[in-house]
Amino acid sequence: MVRTTLEVGPELSEKGDPKPGALRAEAKTMPRSYPLERVRNIGIIAHIDAGKTTLTERILFFTGRTHKMGEVDEGTAVMDWMEQERRRGITITAAATTCYWQDHRINIIDTPGHVDFTAEVERSLRVLDGGVVVFDAMAGVEPQSETVWRQASHYRVPRVCFINKMDRLGADLWHTVSMIEARLKAVPIPIQMPLGAEADFAGIIDLVEMKAWIYAEDASIPPQEIGLPPQLAPEAAQRRESLVEKLAENDDQLMVRYVEGHHPSPPEIRAALRRATVANRVVPVLCGSALRNKGIHHLLNAIVDYLPSPTEVSSPWAIDSRTGQPVAIVPRDDSPFTALAFKVVSDPFVGRLVYFRVYSGKVKAGDQVYNATRDRKERIGRLLLMHANHRQEVDEVDTGGIAATVGLKNTFTGDTLCQPHQPVLLEAIRFPEPVVAVAIEPRTRADQDKLGDALRRLAEEDPTFKVRYDPETGQTVVSAMGELHLEVLIERMLREFGVGAKVGRPQVAYKETITLPARAEGRFIKQFGGRGQYGHVWIEVQPAERGSGFHFSERIKGNAIPKEFIPAVEEGVKEAMERGVLAGYPLIDIKATLYDGSYHEVDSSDIAFRMAGALAFREAARRADPILLEPLMRLEVVTPEAFLGDILADLNSRRADIRAIDTRGDIKVIQAFIPLAETFGYATSLRSLSQGRATYSMEFERYQEVPPAIMAQRGILVESRA
């Protein structure tokens, strides 16, 4: 059912609701003109090229937020405001905006789809209450679709699905629904069925209301209700019955009514769908074509009807930073102020912008807040509502608000902001480790001084961009999530910071680990004439579960080593892990235990025990049968069948592990795992093999052991393990 009007103006609609233009005019002061129950914080997430940004542009137009629809292909999309985004036709950075529908305020974050920019999706989902997952009706569930789905599940974000591109050749709503069920292990409940197929797609049948709607080619004409086509009535009745049955299985209230033989009314179905969606038991599925302006109105209604307000989601996990005890965050304006900084941006006009989400309380420009993560007091400068790269200054941000502020010099991504007298820590955001590294150096002497500042600011913005100095080679090494990620960052250095740089060839971010337990002694004993240095430890190392990271413990008996020196031993072990024992790559997934040692009452110091810890750990790691690990990527190649043989042969030559070959219409889909080291230049090779007709997508899967023959072939020298 469509429950709004398209006109934009300050007067009221026919139903007495404020029209979009009037709502936009009220946004200046951000008063609590919208009860918290009528606020929606949502993200648009999907695989690359599924149509996220196009969908967001239509949402902004139909809600009256913009007066002209931007197009990704023409480089006019409002949400793709960066020069690189408009030139490449992809979303690189998450953009925030606000719009209004049915007397609800909707805060939207449009996220990237490319795997190299997965950090943008991660931090956006961390602060959102709901998500719209967009699927391509032809391709169905694609690799990055699975990734963003897992990210949303990790943060327990309720979702609705929008099956896009229903007007394209090969579009199949029901096949996509079955893929969502099979691949994502979800419970999709289609609440619509299409009117027409492919090029004849004209509208939808609302299975909740049992009404049919058609869309005009002219975007200014609202959807028109028509009678249910007789030839589709039996199928619609069957699918509605299936909807009610599946929903009853996941909602106790509806189940009781259903068992009693009651036929639920549309309001009862919507209420049950809302309960089950907010509880993350089901996922409503809608369909349409964003490019042809079809299905947007009903999607907006679904966002309002089924996605939760800040009061309906589970309270974020928090602890009192003084006592370590759990704290309940109550989403109310009169609660103590609590917010999470989720993004840092270097704006060329206003300086350092920190985006934050308010979970409780409110904050005004000029307020002093406490950064509980870094134990620092900060003062809020200007408060800004963001519409992509456009800024609107406001006086106050209340509970459920997403805004940006100027003036926080010591606040970074994942930091908690709160009231000084009630410090709490929210759960931080976890980001994947970068897998590709390059050496970088300034082009000219003039660039030398500016390079460090540019790299520092980029690293502040992007937690998956790492910068380190290699003392052995004298090079600055930067790491990122992929070739495209590095390319965009280097280009930003030139365009935004005016720094020219020379970049080496991409290198794989190898890791090392151990496969056996081992023990070793570390002695650091020096005498300099006066006071000397004395540190003596015994350390045991064990392999940990892959992906579990580093764990340090101690089981010192008696007073063999005073407690105050144990943190220094741990620091020494961590320093030694940075440079491995095989080829100098970082060691990961290791348990280290300090179990014995000795000290000197005069000569022992933190420095001595740090050095002893490093020596003992390195020796133990050498004895623990260390191995080299390389990033393994999950690859999906979509190709016409004519090129399948050549592509498979090329993948086999690249050490790929072919897992499956599926058929989608007249194309083949290859699922494989492939070492990252073998993928450099793959895009060019694939274009050549397929006459430019095949495409691929790739994402990080896990680390795996490098075969010894490959190590020797690539010239990776292995030190003696004696």
Side-chain angles (χ1 to χ4, degrees), residues 590 698 700:
I590 293 177
M698 188 169 59
F700 173 74

Side-chain angles (χ1 to χ4, degrees), residues 27-31 105 337 339 350 352-358 361-369 378-387 390-399 401-408 417:
K28 171 65 178 168
T29 57
M30 278 186 75
R105 177 190 178 126
F337 170 69
V350 298
R352 190 174 188 269
L353 275 178
V354 177
Y355 286 69
F356 63 95
R357 154 76 191 269
V358 180
K362 56 177 64 176
V363 65
K364 295 181 179 179
D367 282 355
Q368 188 179 70
V369 297
E378 296 259 49
R379 187 167 296 280
I380 298 287
R382 297 162 58 195
L383 288 171
L384 304 170
L385 258 185
M386 302 301 296
H387 176 51
H390 300 289
R391 300 165 296 278
Q392 179 182 356
E393 192 159 352
V394 294
D395 301 322
E396 182 179 83
V397 184
D398 44 31
T399 301
I402 294 176
T405 182
V406 181
L408 302 182
L417 301 174

Side-chain angles (χ1 to χ4, degrees), residues 526-533 601-605:
K526 302 289 182 182
Q527 195 66 41
F528 303 107
R531 178 178 174 177
Q533 295 286 351
E601 291 184 355
V602 177
D603 292 347
S604 288
S605 65

